[in-house]
Amino acid sequence: MEFMKELGLEGVLSGTYAGEWISGEGRDQLVSVSPATGETIGTILQTSEADYERVMQSSTEAWKKWRMTPAPIRGLVIRDLADELRKFKEPLGKLVSLEMGKIYQEGLGEVQEMIDICDFAVGLSRQLYGKTMPSERPEHRIQEQWHPLGVIGIITAFNFPVAVYAWNAALAAVCGDAMIWKPSSKTPLCAVAVQNIVNRVAKRHDCEGVFNLIIGKGSTVGERLLQDKRVPLVSFTGSVPMGRHVSETVGRRLGRTILELGGNNAVVVMEDADIDNAVNSVFFGAVGTSGQRCTSTRRVLVHKDVKGEFVSKLVEKYQHVRIGDPLDSSTVMGPLVDEQAIVAYERAMDEVKKAGGKILYAGERIEGKGSFVKPCIAEVKNDFKIVQEETFAPLLYIIEIDSIDDAIEKHNDVPQGLSSSIFTRNFHYAEKFVSPAGSDCGMANINLGTSGAEIGGAFGGEKETGGGRESGSDAWKLYMRRLTSAINYGSEFVLAQGIKFGEDD
Ligand code: UN1
């Protein structure tokens, strides 16, 4: 495939970058498989324990120089990276589609999300503002500066194999951090391709050691990263159980984490909603990316007066969903990522039936090459055990509600709290949903779906979603340390709080 060559993906690839690619005998191989065909598309040499140490040391060296590089100059590197990504948008979008299985349009969207966050970070590089405060003491002042943190860890999931890295990397770079990226072992080629693009830019700016890569098992190199006291911050995207482990391990050494864990995102459809808009948004939210976004729509809380119309329009759409090769432009839904994902999907559908759920559109495995399934819609009760869990598959739950209060109560009655939305034209419903007594998620939208956020807002959620924020707004502060300085520009010894100490009055 020509685009693989363009991305520098030929032969057995190194999965370790420490200012240079590290390779050689004696490393375990990792095979990358296309979920659409089951065929091998590449082989990667995994990072060894000794490699990890080398990565850590070279990153630390690079960081010492990087932290003293003026932030606007660091921004120029990210400006170039945005341009480079624009050049590689199509091949990289194709690779995302090939290796992860999302459709090409969504692969392109992911690269665009990388470009957008880079553009955002360039502006940010001149806006890392600290505050000044009036001092209570004469001829004193107080100021705040934001300083780089150090070498940070970025652990990303398979479902957004390139964009989530960029959210972290672009901000971390302008904030003056060096970084070690550990991508999902399900999407190593995407990581190597991105690293190749980053390297072209970093070479031109003589900062190769800032952006580093390790590929290997969570239980080996991943664990090293979590336990490493030299890593002040670990940004982790993945499941709730893994996130709990990350939080405990990093927390035990009093390191910082940014956690972006599972969601159980719901759309509320009120009796006055624009039903067609709601149906289109739920269709994208539930079937897009084959239901494998953290922000995927998992539940629809629909008012009893419009349930019939909503469900029949949605089922109609499901009947025409085009499932197949994610690189074919007519496809709407690609495969699930692997066999394990299908098994989890089948298990969840069984649980729904056992609990007394009503299947409105039957999902099932599609026999043949690749990990394809048909999506599923089921009418359930919000308190079914399976409904309380996140199943990373195109399984959509319909739950009836009879008022805005009923909707909000059921909406919040799950352990997770990432994204949410309401469809209504009623000002009171909409405002109630985004009020302190409304959605308890990190994101609550009005008249648009739960997935597909722009980079400008802070991305993340509450409760078991982990509380982290990434991407836009002031999420950058998490990648820096705050230095508060009180400065005496006079010559008097004056204590705060009016304290007199060893002085005669
Ligand atoms: C994720 O699923 O981990 O809002 C990220 C969205 C995308 C990012 C999702 N911009 O759906």
Side-chain angles (χ1 to χ4, degrees):
M1 272 171 278
E2 207 46 43
F3 72 88
M4 301 270 277
K5 222 187 273 173
E6 226 178 301
L7 295 166
L9 303 176
E10 282 183 302
V12 175
L13 299 159
S14 164
T16 310
Y17 190 84
E20 58 184 328
W21 287 110
I22 298 180
S23 186
E25 298 288 299
R27 290 173 176 81
D28 294 338
Q29 293 199 345
L30 175 69
V31 168
S32 175
V33 171
S34 155
T37 62
E39 282 160 21
T40 296
I41 51 173
T43 304
I44 285 99
L45 296 176
Q46 301 193 81
T47 306
S48 68
E49 299 256 332
D51 293 340
Y52 174 85
E53 199 44 43
R54 206 165 140 189
V55 171
M56 190 63 220
Q57 276 170 18
S58 85
S59 317
T60 306
E61 277 317 300
W63 175 64
K64 285 183 184 155
K65 187 169 153 208
W66 190 238
R67 66 182 169 182
M68 292 308 291
T69 304
I73 306 297
R74 299 195 293 250
L76 296 181
V77 178
I78 299 304
R79 193 182 74 176
D80 270 9
L81 179 58
D83 287 346
E84 209 65 25
L85 286 165
R86 284 181 171 92
K87 284 189 222 150
F88 283 95
K89 182 170 174 182
E90 289 181 10
L92 189 56
K94 274 193 192 136
L95 178 67
V96 167
S97 180
L98 177 74
E99 191 177 40
M100 182 276 165
K102 63 177 69 177
I103 60 170
Y104 180 47
Q105 270 304 312
E106 292 190 63
L108 288 175
E110 218 187 305
V111 184
Q112 186 58 47
E113 200 160 342
M114 300 177 84
I115 295 166
D116 294 344
I117 193 71
C118 286
D119 287 350
F120 177 91
V122 177
L124 182 66
S125 71
R126 288 184 183 268
Q127 299 175 76
L128 301 171
Y129 301 135
K131 292 179 173 161
T132 63
M133 297 85 176
S135 168
E136 65 193 52
R137 288 169 278 187
E139 297 188 305
H140 282 57
R141 67 183 184 87
I142 302 172
Q143 68 172 27
E144 238 175 34
Q145 291 181 82
W146 289 91
H147 285 330
L149 259 188
V151 178
I152 69 155
I154 302 170
I155 303 178
T156 55
F158 78 88
N159 65 332
F160 272 79
V162 297
V164 172
Y165 165 69
W167 287 356
N168 286 280
L171 295 196
V174 300
C175 290
D177 297 332
M179 66 209 79
I180 300 176
W181 178 21
K182 188 195 153 322
S184 161
S185 293
K186 292 176 186 170
T187 50
L189 294 180
C190 286
V192 173
V194 168
Q195 185 70 46
N196 279 335
I197 295 169
V198 169
N199 290 349
R200 293 161 72 105
V201 176
K203 269 203 181 79
R204 291 205 287 271
H205 292 268
D206 194 24
C207 60
E208 287 105 314
V210 171
F211 306 90
N212 304 279
L213 180 68
I214 57 175
I215 297 179
K217 290 198 186 69
S219 53
T220 55
V221 285
E223 203 55 34
R224 280 287 293 268
L225 188 65
L226 299 184
Q227 288 176 4
D228 197 331
K229 288 203 177 89
R230 295 166 292 183
V231 179
L233 169 70
V234 175
S235 170
F236 174 83
T237 307
S239 68
V240 169
M242 269 313 297
R244 192 168 279 126
H245 175 70
V246 169
S247 174
E248 282 169 6
T249 311
V250 179
R252 204 172 302 127
R253 62 174 174 81
L254 300 179
R256 261 194 231 172
T257 49
I258 298 174
L259 301 174
E260 207 266 275
L261 314 178
N264 195 345
N265 317 298
V267 168
V268 174
V269 182
M270 294 306 293
E271 72 278 11
D272 66 323
D274 177 333
I275 298 294
D276 290 333
N277 188 16
V279 166
N280 286 330
S281 303
V282 168
F283 183 60
F284 174 72
V287 165
T289 332
S290 306
Q292 298 171 110
R293 290 190 189 214
C294 304
T295 51
S296 287
T297 306
R298 312 254 171 243
R299 298 178 295 146
V300 181
L301 302 160
V302 58
H303 195 279
K304 59 180 175 18
D305 292 356
V306 290
K307 188 176 84 180
E309 182 190 353
F310 176 84
V311 168
S312 76
K313 285 187 165 164
L314 189 65
V315 167
E316 164 80 19
K317 276 201 152 313
Y318 271 57
Q319 276 158 354
H320 297 109
V321 60
R322 291 182 300 272
I323 303 166
D325 177 2
L327 282 162
D328 181 332
S329 63
S330 67
T331 302
V332 168
M333 186 179 142
L336 288 184
V337 71
D338 58 14
E339 176 61 26
Q340 236 178 308
I342 300 187
V343 171
Y345 180 44
E346 289 177 327
R347 187 192 71 89
M349 287 188 294
D350 279 350
E351 298 277 319
V352 168
K353 286 177 212 156
K354 268 192 240 152
K358 186 167 140 208
I359 302 296
L360 302 175
Y361 185 84
E364 63 191 358
R365 174 195 294 262
I366 300 174
E367 297 300 338
K369 266 196 326 180
S371 330
F372 292 95
V373 296
K374 277 171 65 182
C376 179
I377 308 176
E379 182 159 5
V380 299
K381 295 262 182 297
N382 195 60
D383 57 6
F384 286 2
K385 188 171 169 289
I386 188 67
V387 175
Q388 296 281 313
E389 291 171 21
E390 178 190 49
T391 302
F392 230 53
L395 171 53
L396 182 68
Y397 300 125
I398 306 287
I399 297 155
E400 187 179 291
I401 47 114
D402 58 20
S403 66
I404 183 71
D405 292 334
D406 187 27
I408 291 172
E409 193 186 317
K410 291 197 169 106
H411 176 276
N412 291 348
D413 190 15
V414 290
Q416 312 82 352
L418 181 57
S419 184
S420 57
S421 64
I422 187 167
F423 284 80
T424 183
R425 295 182 182 102
N426 182 313
F427 173 76
H428 301 284
Y429 291 166
E431 284 294 324
K432 189 153 193 186
F433 192 68
V434 297
S435 80
S439 162
D440 61 5
C441 287
M443 297 177 284
N445 300 329
I446 301 172
N447 292 327
L448 60 137
T450 57
S451 68
E454 303 172 20
I455 58 92
F459 184 97
E462 304 303 327
K463 303 195 291 187
E464 286 192 0
T465 302
R469 290 297 184 279
E470 291 175 302
S471 190
S473 185
D474 61 355
W476 61 270
K477 289 181 176 169
L478 298 167
Y479 300 81
M480 304 198 84
R481 69 183 166 90
R482 186 195 308 242
L483 182 79
T484 306
S485 306
I487 295 157
N488 176 357
Y489 58 88
S491 48
E492 296 298 310
F493 168 72
V494 199
L495 290 171
Q497 296 88 40
I499 294 174
K500 302 272 179 248
F501 195 75
E503 295 161 56
D504 304 325
D505 351 71

